[in-house]
Amino acid sequence: MTSKGFKTNELGERNKSAIQPNVDATPRVGFTQYAEKLNGRLAMIGFVSLIAIEVITGNGLISWLTNL
């Protein structure tokens, strides 16, 4: 018998050192809230990086890529 993640023995005493993790059975594939947050944060990092490159080099993205 479990009670909020705690294992209990046959006397009904809780064993606090053996906390069972809460396992989420929903699949982590597709357009989940976590994936959307991660994609948004990565896009923001990329956008700020492009602005930083433009400020540091004095060239825009297109001219920076074509001058390689």
Side-chain angles (χ1 to χ4, degrees):
M1 179 176 167
T2 59
S3 173
K4 293 187 180 182
F6 292 102
K7 287 281 249 185
T8 56
N9 62 10
E10 60 275 355
L11 300 175
E13 299 167 335
R14 292 196 303 184
N15 184 359
K16 294 181 182 179
S17 63
I19 297 174
Q20 298 295 319
N22 293 332
V23 179
D24 189 12
T26 59
R28 292 287 190 186
V29 180
F31 295 104
T32 62
Q33 186 176 5
Y34 173 75
E36 292 299 316
K37 282 183 183 180
L38 182 63
N39 289 338
R41 290 173 183 162
L42 291 175
M44 288 185 272
I45 290 171
F47 185 72
V48 170
S49 299
L50 287 175
I51 291 174
I53 288 172
E54 186 170 345
V55 168
I56 291 170
T57 63
N59 296 325
L61 175 67
I62 304 287
S63 64
W64 183 70
L65 288 175
T66 55
N67 288 332
L68 292 177

